Amino acid sequence: MAGNNNDLMRGNPPGILLIRSMRRKDWSLKTYKYVVLLITFIAYTSYHASRKPSSIVKSVLHPHTFLNETFSNPWPIGPIFAKKETLGPTDLGKSRKKGWEPFNDDDGTSKLGEIDVAFLACYSIGMYVAGHLGDSLDLRLFLTTGMIGSGIFVGLFGMGYFWKVHAFWFYLLMQMVAGLFQATGWPSVVAVIGNWFGKRKRGLIMGIWNAHTSVGNISGSLMAAGVLEYGWGWSFIVPGGFIFFAGIMVYLLLPAYPEDVGFPCPNRPSSEDSLSPINDEEAQRVKENMGENGQSYNVPRVGSGSRTSVGLLDACLIPGVIPFALCLFFSKLVAYTFLYWLPFYLSRTAIGGEYVSVKSAGNLSALFDVGGIVGGILAGHLSDKLDARATTAASFMYAAIPSMLLYRKYGGASKFMNIFLMMIAGLFVNGPYALITTAVSADLGTHSSLKGDSRALATVTAIIDGTGSMGAALGPLLTGFLSTKGWDAVFIMLVVGALSAGLLLSRLVLVELSEKFSKHLACGQHNNGGSASQPLLRDQR
């Protein structure tokens, strides 16, 4: 009984305690890692799914034209392409009588942009606080609270439809509070993954794992579009319910720290710069076998609630944090503009001589995130192979510029061309965004200057992603205004953002390239005593 009480005090999830008692033995280390990957994947999938509805319902709240919404064979809700009546002065005049007050006036797109920026501004501000709290509190309980709170307020936004709410302040307030709760997600899940996995192959592992962002966008689009015909309020309630119940799953099954279930942390001070497969795997297997055979876990407990956190200023001084944070500002500006406005853009742009319906635009926009999944995995794998996070991220941002311009110019030529160019743009836009918010954040959060204290993981992740979220707030806001002047202006903004993101990493890229060149010259003359792992994250003068 005493052992069970200790498990509860140490943050051992009740669901795992129940499974352990039923199986009469514990899971292996590998099983725990799979469980952590799966639970955090589902958790952040639900976060992104709950952010997607606002982009799906934009064209319903502020319609510019009547749509031919009669469907026969759904995919899975309706055909990917459905004809829409040609835009004209008569349609624009009639459309003002449709939509949802207060978004159906002439300034409707601006108000929709303000709703987006309210969410993202609160998300960004809350991120800095959430990161510090995540390093100070029990990550599992903190994440659970954020997910349940997010589900409630996303659902309340949708209830405005059923309550016949037409006050702008109501929708603004719901998005602001939802943004604060959503800020708990990213620092927490990256910290959990960083706690369980060492640096070896981190880019590839986290690149694959980061597919939850795109899977969340896709599932959110399909959920929101799937119930849209029953009223736009359901497009918020269903994803809100998804994240609510995912939060309960996190509470029951997610061990935030290896120590919470009897395993040592892979980010220990003594081996920070020399983690190898033996240090990260075999040593932990020995501890695991000792625990299983002896029925006791004599592992130093520094898990949930027993570490000291790192201050924001100290975290900012870690080499590489500021450049990557500023780069992510512009990277997320580009990525979130697509996240919030791509369905709206697709429903307003002729593709192969015809327009797509609101539902179909939501379904079609999911293909951008399919490209994003490939981009995240590719960026992570290349950064591992090249040992160059900054060079990989900058290269992807530069490649995003021509891909976006090609999509704008030729995306309307045909359906095939639109899909192909959209996926290519998604690959290059989401690749560096995924790399910086996952592997780079985890690398910096376990930097050698911290002496192995992984309690900096959530704080560093919050600084980088919080700064990036300021750009994520700015992009959709500017798009709300620029789209009224024409979509060319929006794409110019996106190109400037991508170029700025790449240029901000120039110094780190030069450091990486110079180190590679120096090692190449020194090869065969003497052994390089320094660690080749993550040269861009070393102390740079």
Side-chain angles (χ1 to χ4, degrees):
M1 293 295 294
N4 290 338
N5 291 334
N6 286 338
D7 280 336
L8 288 170
M9 292 177 62
R10 288 164 180 165
N12 209 322
I16 289 180
L17 287 175
L18 178 62
I19 293 171
R20 183 185 294 171
S21 64
M22 293 174 63
R23 296 179 72 243
R24 298 188 181 277
K25 65 177 182 178
D26 200 4
W27 282 332
S28 66
L29 173 64
K30 182 177 290 187
T31 300
Y32 270 115
K33 287 191 172 186
Y34 285 137
V35 168
V36 168
L37 283 172
L38 178 61
I39 298 297
T40 52
F41 186 96
I42 295 173
Y44 214 70
T45 293
S46 69
Y47 270 99
H48 261 262
S50 66
R51 296 174 196 173
K52 194 64 179 176
S54 63
S55 69
I56 301 299
V57 304
K58 273 186 172 71
S59 295
V60 174
L61 300 177
H62 180 66
H64 279 196
T65 182
F66 292 111
L67 306 179
N68 179 2
E69 295 283 12
T70 58
F71 301 120
S72 52
N73 294 322
W75 178 91
I77 306 105
I80 297 180
F81 290 94
K83 290 184 178 180
K84 184 205 294 188
E85 294 181 10
T86 306
L87 288 170
T90 304
D91 292 329
L92 289 172
K94 291 179 181 178
S95 69
R96 294 193 182 98
K97 299 178 183 178
K98 299 183 73 68
W100 189 265
E101 190 181 348
F103 303 106
N104 60 347
D105 295 328
D106 292 335
D107 61 346
T109 55
S110 297
K111 286 182 177 177
L112 290 170
E114 290 168 17
I115 288 287
D116 290 341
V117 78
F119 171 88
L120 292 166
C122 290
Y123 176 80
S124 177
I125 295 169
M127 185 77 72
Y128 295 100
V129 179
H132 186 69
L133 290 176
D135 281 334
S136 306
L137 305 175
D138 187 322
L139 277 172
R140 178 172 59 89
L141 298 180
F142 185 62
L143 184 59
T144 299
T145 302
M147 295 175 73
I148 291 176
S150 296
I152 291 172
F153 283 94
V154 169
L156 285 175
F157 189 103
M159 288 302 298
Y161 171 80
F162 300 99
W163 294 338
K164 309 295 184 186
V165 178
H166 297 285
F168 177 67
W169 66 265
F170 172 82
Y171 299 104
L172 190 69
L173 180 62
M174 292 303 102
Q175 284 290 74
M176 290 173 70
V177 179
L180 291 174
F181 277 106
Q182 289 261 324
T184 60
W186 193 240
S188 300
V189 295
V190 172
V192 171
I193 292 297
N195 292 333
W196 277 91
F197 294 88
K199 288 185 177 180
R200 186 170 181 265
K201 293 186 178 179
R202 181 178 276 167
L204 178 59
I205 291 172
M206 299 192 84
I208 297 172
W209 171 76
N210 190 67
H212 54 50
T213 299
S214 297
V215 172
N217 292 340
I218 293 169
S219 60
S221 295
L222 297 179
M223 280 189 281
V227 295
L228 189 59
E229 60 186 296
Y230 304 108
W232 64 260
W234 287 109
S235 295
F236 287 87
I237 292 173
V238 172
F242 177 32
I243 190 172
F244 183 94
F245 288 107
I248 296 175
M249 179 191 64
V250 165
Y251 173 76
L252 293 175
L253 295 172
L254 180 66
Y257 286 87
E259 299 95 326
D260 290 342
V261 287
F263 297 101
C265 177
N267 301 309
R268 302 308 303 151
S270 61
S271 57
E272 177 65 31
D273 293 325
S274 59
L275 284 174
S276 65
I278 295 177
N279 288 327
D280 188 35
E281 295 289 341
E282 293 182 16
Q284 295 189 51
R285 290 175 189 274
V286 172
K287 293 289 186 181
E288 173 199 357
N289 292 333
M290 289 173 59
E292 288 183 352
N293 296 330
Q295 298 300 319
S296 66
Y297 295 87
N298 298 317
V299 177
R301 292 283 177 171
V302 283
S304 302
S306 58
R307 294 186 186 220
T308 57
S309 60
V310 174
L312 283 174
L313 180 59
D314 291 334
C316 286
L317 295 177
I318 296 172
V321 167
I322 297 301
F324 274 112
L326 294 175
C327 171
L328 192 63
F329 176 93
F330 290 101
S331 179
K332 287 191 76 169
L333 181 151
V334 176
Y336 268 65
T337 297
F338 278 99
L339 172 67
Y340 279 93
W341 285 94
L342 183 57
F344 189 86
Y345 171 76
L346 288 167
S347 67
R348 297 296 187 272
T349 307
I351 302 172
E354 56 186 42
Y355 289 85
V356 297
S357 69
V358 176
K359 289 182 179 180
S360 300
N363 293 334
L364 184 60
S365 68
L367 297 174
F368 179 86
D369 291 293
V370 173
I373 293 174
V374 178
I377 296 172
L378 184 61
H381 178 65
L382 288 175
S383 70
D384 281 341
K385 286 291 185 182
L386 300 174
D387 236 355
R389 306 280 199 226
T391 303
T392 304
S395 299
F396 270 66
M397 288 311 309
Y398 291 138
I401 295 174
S403 70
M404 291 187 295
L405 293 175
L406 287 171
Y407 179 66
R408 172 57 182 162
K409 186 171 180 62
Y410 299 106
S414 68
K415 299 172 184 178
F416 171 79
M417 191 66 88
N418 188 281
I419 292 173
F420 176 74
L421 293 176
M422 185 196 303
M423 294 179 69
I424 294 297
L427 186 152
F428 288 116
V429 168
N430 282 357
Y433 161 40
L435 178 64
I436 294 171
T437 55
T438 55
V440 169
S441 296
D443 289 345
L444 292 167
T446 54
H447 190 262
S448 58
S449 63
L450 296 168
K451 298 179 173 59
D453 186 0
S454 61
R455 274 298 200 183
L457 271 166
T459 303
V460 168
T461 302
I463 292 171
I464 293 176
D465 203 50
T467 304
S469 296
M470 293 181 184
L474 181 62
L477 176 65
L478 291 177
T479 302
F481 293 103
L482 293 175
S483 62
T484 61
K485 304 180 183 299
W487 288 102
D488 285 339
V490 174
F491 276 83
I492 290 173
M493 176 194 76
L494 295 175
V495 167
V496 172
L499 179 62
S500 300
L503 291 175
L504 282 165
L505 293 181
S506 296
R507 183 167 172 267
L508 295 179
V509 170
L510 290 175
V511 170
E512 286 182 347
L513 294 178
S514 63
E515 288 200 11
K516 294 289 183 185
F517 184 69
S518 299
K519 288 177 181 177
H520 179 71
L521 291 179
C523 183
Q525 299 178 16
H526 60 83
N527 292 328
N528 192 328
S531 172
S533 179
Q534 312 309 328
L536 66 93
L537 303 178
R538 293 181 185 153
D539 194 5
Q540 295 148 14
R541 304 287 299 186

